[in-house]
Amino acid sequence: MKLVSDYFGCMVFNDEVMQKRLSPEVYATLKRTMEHGRSLNLSVANAVASAMKDWAVEMGATHYTHWFQPMTGITAEKHDSFISPDHGGKVIMEFSGKELVRGETDASSFPSGGLRATFEARGYTAWDATSYAFIKDGVLCIPTAFCSYGGEALDKKTPLLRSMEAINRQALRVLKLFGNEEVTSAKTTVGPEQEYFLVDKETFRRRKDLMYTGRTLFGAKPPKGQEVEGHYYGVIKPRVQAFMKDLDEELWKLGVLAKTEHNEAAPSQHELAPIFATTNIAADHNQLTMEIMQKIAKKHDFICLLHEKPFAGVNGSGKHNNWSISTSTGVNLLEPGETPYENAQFLLFLCAVIKAVDDYQDLLRISVASAGNDHRLGAHEAPPAVVSIFLGDELTEILQSIEKDEAYGAKEKELLRVGVHTMPKFPKDTTDRNRTSPFAFTGNKFEFRMLGSSASISDANTVINTAVAEVLRQFADELEVATDFESALHDLIKKTFTAHKRIIFNGNGYDDKWIAEAEKRGLSNLRSTPDALAHYLDEKNIALFTAHKVYTEKEMQSRLEITLKNYADLIAIEARTMVDMAKKDILPAVSEYTQTLCNTISAKRAVNEKLSCAYEEESLEKISALVQKAYAEVKKLERELARAEKITDVSALAMHFKNKVLATMEKLRKAVDETETLVCADYWPFPTYGELLFEVRE
Ligand code: ADP
Ligand code: MG
């Protein structure tokens, strides 16, 4: 039997391989680069490239690629082989430091939102030495950032790395004030829990909507829904089990710390959770996980659906982004400590996150905005689009005691003062979990739960990192000039909590009453992608990103444009798919069925004028009315699509898609879904929800 410990990371050019294959000097320089982000000189790069190539060739690789994450949200790769001509028509395998460190790529087919003028079609990719190279399908993949020649970010990795630098800078200032002289860096960590659906490959192929858009655009509710919550953590079917086993193995070979696999709440829905890693590595690994999931699923005759809402009326899929920050000395800054000193520091970082989430609610909402995720957030059956924090009763009480200058808990006599000597020990109870909160403190980390299942985690983490960096900057500015550190610290925590406690909500986040309450508190509720994106370029948001050098204003404009365009494009594809399905499959099938009904009625009448035709006649009447309604909506949808072609402003275009196209799509769906419940199953041209969700082969 193969032991996991023997093959874990076998496809990764990791620390162990580097130590073995690089000279001590080269290894030491490379490590310094990885830890402090220094640039490599060419001779070191050459040595690393050569060792990497030898290793990759021994592992059977023939090609290499600069693996990057353009703004399409998925990864891109262009394969180059290692071969280089040698004497006498032979080849040798070559790979230089220059090729490792920097690649050139024709960037013109990737979205740039106007950043790259058409005459400057080339972009370049640069090695992110902090993320290990790996071999996938015989190709050495080098994780890289992707920029235009002017240095503007054209990808999701570059801003994420910049945001990690920003929070590192500011966290170090704060840590210094607490006397942490030995800390050299502070890095954010993330464990993204990934939800997905598995459907049968054969059934999937018979659904045009799933094939073209990743979600069902039609489909009546099955007789059994999600009411009986038998699936959550339920027994995993053998075929799914085999898939999960294969998936784990493949991910482990790539060094991805896949940890837990279980069934989710909805039928056919599952989750994979990894062990957390430094944020940019977690982001790379999550991209890999999504890719490998889809590949392994096919091997098992499944299709893995990563869409946020593949089925109406059934739970959607998200990605829970567990986020924390820890020091080079191994201290998790969001973990309550043992001593008053550690707890004071913990409370300050906790307050920094609270303030950051309150100040930049809109950006957090924007960071998860997409056409797919809109079906999860703010819809009637999903968490609301309001951002709030769950802290738990105990922490909330501690902060309230500080705010009100009161004693905390029944046993404490003294007033609660934050300081190096006077903090009480915190109860470390993490059992009080609230599953309905979009941003929950879970004992030693925050779990941001609004991310869509198909999204790159980079956008959300870029926002969290930068927003917290900004608050830490303000905190450091204030504390650095204080004459009495302890009382300044106490006042700062008190002031911050008082000003931002409106963002804390420990109750049921799915309750309608909360939406009303949130509105009273002045929290924003940005229901759709176009509504949310309208705030992206608000002055305070531009100020945030430019001050911390995460985005230039131009980069922000380009990202906005791409996101809006992408939103419109996706809905356009959905709308066209609906028109196609309705006109070519559904309406003709229903016509045929109504013909059968008519024939039956005439046949019956021919036998006996008095025979009852109640079923046939009533069905005929209802179906005919619904079909005419559906047909009218199809025509309306075609008109709205034609109108969209004439809209040049991208914000107006996105709004048109939301208000007109999506709204018409919903009406069309309603008419068709009702028809489905009346038409003989043999005539219905597409597999039903029942087949998709419940009839998965064992
Ligand atoms: P659950 O939330 O399902 O009860 P856990 O609390 O064990 O499970 O962890 C959920 C996820 O949070 C895992 O991916 C785990 O690796 C991650 N996680 C744990 N600690 C941290 C941390 N300090 N930073 C980031 N993620 C973390
Ligand atoms: Mg969780």
Side-chain angles (χ1 to χ4, degrees):
M1 208 175 85
K2 350 177 236 186
L3 289 179
V4 177
S5 51
D6 289 343
Y7 67 84
F8 184 88
C10 66
M11 291 300 188
V12 184
F13 192 72
N14 57 22
D15 202 60
E16 197 189 330
V17 184
M18 287 184 203
Q19 271 198 54
K20 230 185 277 167
R21 290 178 176 257
L22 300 173
S23 74
E25 303 78 58
V26 170
Y27 173 76
T29 318
L30 184 60
K31 281 298 267 190
R32 269 203 300 283
T33 307
M34 290 170 68
E35 260 141 48
H36 307 292
R38 306 234 166 89
S39 56
L40 278 182
N41 73 37
L42 198 58
S43 73
V44 175
N46 277 330
V48 177
S50 160
M52 217 184 247
K53 181 230 25 188
D54 289 345
W55 169 79
V57 170
E58 281 167 37
M59 299 291 293
T62 50
H63 289 68
Y64 72 92
T65 181
H66 276 202
W67 185 75
F68 61 102
Q69 295 159 34
M71 290 187 269
T72 51
I74 50 172
T75 52
E77 39 194 80
K78 171 188 133 212
H79 301 170
D80 278 304
S81 74
F82 291 123
I83 63 165
S84 170
D86 200 17
H87 321 289
K90 299 228 176 216
V91 293
I92 49 165
M93 303 300 253
E94 261 188 359
F95 185 48
S96 71
K98 241 166 72 193
E99 287 166 313
L100 164 65
V101 172
R102 193 174 154 118
E104 291 198 6
T105 187
D106 179 0
S108 53
S109 327
F110 294 107
S112 80
L115 272 184
R116 214 180 331 85
T118 35
F119 60 84
E120 182 50 295
R122 289 166 90 71
Y124 70 87
T125 49
W127 184 29
D128 166 18
T130 59
S131 185
Y132 296 135
F134 56 90
I135 296 171
K136 180 170 65 74
D137 301 326
V139 178
L140 171 68
C141 298
I142 299 151
T144 50
F146 174 39
C147 294
S148 75
Y149 259 90
E152 284 127 344
L154 294 176
D155 68 347
K156 304 217 174 225
K157 188 189 260 291
T158 307
L160 180 65
L161 289 171
R162 291 175 185 162
S163 75
M164 289 173 71
E165 267 172 52
I167 194 168
N168 174 55
R169 231 174 358 247
Q170 304 304 334
L172 284 179
R173 287 177 64 198
V174 171
L175 287 166
K176 279 249 149 54
L177 292 165
F178 281 89
N180 301 284
E181 294 299 335
E182 64 298 353
V183 173
T184 54
S185 67
K187 284 186 180 155
T188 57
T189 50
V190 166
E193 301 167 54
Q194 177 74 47
E195 290 180 331
Y196 59 96
F197 279 87
L198 287 179
V199 296
D200 260 326
K201 193 154 58 179
E202 271 317 300
T203 325
F204 170 88
R205 285 221 178 102
R206 286 160 48 220
R207 296 263 340 188
K208 282 185 188 168
D209 45 5
L210 282 179
M211 293 224 297
Y212 295 139
T213 72
R215 76 172 176 113
T216 52
L217 300 166
F218 297 107
K221 283 195 176 60
K224 178 182 169 187
Q226 207 180 302
E227 307 84 6
V228 202
E229 302 239 335
H231 190 68
Y232 192 54
Y233 278 58
V235 179
I236 301 172
K237 288 187 179 142
R239 212 172 128 219
V240 174
Q241 186 90 57
F243 155 81
M244 287 179 174
K245 182 167 175 287
D246 243 17
L247 175 62
D248 280 341
E249 274 179 26
E250 198 73 12
L251 290 173
W252 287 338
K253 285 187 202 160
L254 289 163
V256 177
L257 290 156
K259 174 82 174 164
T260 354
E261 303 257 17
H262 64 77
N263 287 352
E264 262 300 325
S268 297
Q269 193 187 28
H270 312 280
E271 181 189 286
L272 180 147
I275 295 174
F276 69 96
T278 306
T279 305
N280 69 317
I281 293 165
D284 285 356
H285 281 178
N286 183 250
Q287 293 299 126
L288 262 180
T289 301
M290 291 194 286
E291 185 185 325
I292 306 287
M293 265 178 176
Q294 290 173 302
K295 186 175 107 183
I296 303 288
K298 285 198 186 127
K299 261 178 63 183
H300 291 262
D301 288 331
F302 281 124
I303 294 292
C304 169
L305 301 178
L306 290 171
H307 194 283
E308 284 74 16
K309 196 76 175 176
F311 306 101
V314 173
N315 267 16
S317 298
K319 188 132 60 186
H320 290 178
N321 190 83
N322 294 274
W323 181 96
S324 191
I325 171 165
S326 58
T327 66
S328 53
T329 51
V331 177
N332 176 354
L333 295 169
L334 290 176
E335 172 120 42
E338 296 296 326
T339 64
Y341 149 87
E342 287 168 333
N343 277 335
Q345 184 177 289
F346 158 75
L347 270 192
L348 189 67
F349 277 92
L350 187 81
C351 284
V353 179
I354 294 171
K355 178 168 160 54
V357 172
D358 189 26
D359 284 346
Y360 299 101
Q361 310 163 31
D362 50 351
L363 278 182
L364 284 167
R365 169 66 184 95
I366 289 164
S367 76
V368 299
S370 69
N373 215 17
D374 277 1
H375 299 291
R376 272 180 78 234
L377 303 176
H380 42 96
E381 46 182 284
V386 179
V387 180
S388 67
I389 293 181
F390 167 84
L391 263 196
D393 292 339
E394 267 140 355
L395 270 180
T396 310
E397 268 169 43
I398 287 176
L399 287 165
Q400 277 166 350
S401 310
I402 295 172
E403 183 195 13
K404 298 192 190 119
D405 289 316
E406 280 172 5
Y408 162 70
K411 277 178 265 149
E412 300 286 334
K413 299 253 160 15
E414 286 179 48
L415 298 188
L416 189 58
R417 275 204 67 83
V418 182
V420 179
H421 306 297
T422 48
M423 288 288 290
K425 250 192 159 172
F426 288 168
K428 274 203 203 166
D429 181 20
T430 59
T431 51
D432 189 11
R433 296 277 176 96
N434 181 328
R435 294 278 162 197
T436 63
S437 173
F439 209 102
F441 185 69
T442 55
N444 58 1
K445 60 188 180 294
F446 277 98
E447 188 168 334
F448 184 30
R449 301 189 174 126
M450 289 173 108
L451 284 76
S453 47
S454 69
S456 154
I457 64 167
S458 300
D459 292 337
N461 287 293
T462 300
V463 170
I464 303 175
N465 291 346
T466 314
V468 176
E470 167 58 20
V471 176
L472 292 174
R473 180 194 68 75
Q474 294 172 21
F475 284 5
D477 281 355
E478 192 166 330
L479 294 174
E480 275 167 358
V481 297
T483 42
D484 176 354
F485 177 67
E486 273 183 44
S487 59
L489 181 64
H490 180 92
D491 293 346
L492 180 58
I493 287 177
K494 182 171 164 173
K495 181 173 81 180
T496 305
F497 179 73
T498 310
H500 299 285
K501 63 183 176 191
R502 64 169 187 166
I503 196 82
I504 294 163
F505 177 65
N506 292 332
N508 178 3
Y510 292 3
D511 194 340
D512 283 342
K513 278 190 239 133
W514 163 234
I515 309 286
E517 162 75 18
E519 200 180 319
K520 261 194 254 153
R521 293 191 191 186
L523 302 180
S524 67
N525 183 6
L526 302 167
R527 285 172 198 275
S528 74
T529 296
D531 293 327
L533 288 170
H535 293 276
Y536 187 56
L537 294 180
D538 283 359
E539 214 172 299
K540 78 174 211 319
N541 297 337
I542 295 177
L544 172 77
F545 283 128
T546 52
H548 292 276
K549 303 199 165 23
V550 170
Y551 294 120
T552 61
E553 192 170 338
K554 224 166 112 196
E555 285 172 336
M556 288 181 75
Q557 280 160 357
S558 88
R559 261 152 229 264
L560 176 64
E561 194 171 306
I562 289 168
T563 316
L564 285 167
K565 183 76 177 36
N566 197 23
Y567 173 85
D569 286 349
L570 275 177
I571 297 176
I573 295 170
E574 291 183 346
R576 288 198 296 267
T577 305
M578 280 187 111
V579 168
D580 183 277
M581 287 170 82
K583 289 217 298 207
K584 294 208 188 117
D585 302 291
I586 297 169
L587 296 179
V590 178
S591 265
E592 235 178 90
Y593 178 59
T594 48
Q595 192 193 347
T596 309
L597 290 175
C598 294
N599 291 346
T600 310
I601 295 170
S602 351
K604 276 184 171 179
R605 294 271 149 84
V607 175
N608 180 346
E609 273 293 322
K610 295 209 175 77
L611 277 181
S612 164
C613 292
Y615 159 67
E616 290 82 2
E617 280 175 352
E618 276 172 39
S619 301
L620 202 53
E621 200 174 311
K622 280 192 206 152
I623 293 172
S624 299
L626 284 166
V627 161
Q628 297 321 309
K629 170 109 184 67
Y631 182 56
E633 297 299 344
V634 167
K635 287 200 290 191
K636 174 132 191 271
L637 200 47
E638 287 177 321
R639 282 199 303 275
E640 296 299 356
L641 280 170
R643 267 189 205 131
E645 308 249 319
K646 300 200 182 74
I647 303 175
T648 46
D649 176 72
V650 73
S651 298
L653 184 69
M655 275 298 175
H656 173 77
F657 271 96
K658 184 196 123 196
N659 293 331
K660 303 290 182 197
V661 180
L662 261 184
T664 312
M665 283 164 64
E666 269 166 36
K667 285 193 198 137
L668 170 57
R669 177 175 185 150
K670 193 158 173 279
V672 168
D673 286 1
E674 211 177 320
T675 312
E676 189 189 329
T677 65
L678 299 169
V679 171
C680 166
D682 288 346
Y683 284 79
W684 199 253
F686 298 107
T688 63
Y689 265 36
E691 282 172 78
L692 282 164
L693 288 163
F694 293 100
E695 294 176 28
V696 176
R697 230 174 357 98
E698 291 278 321

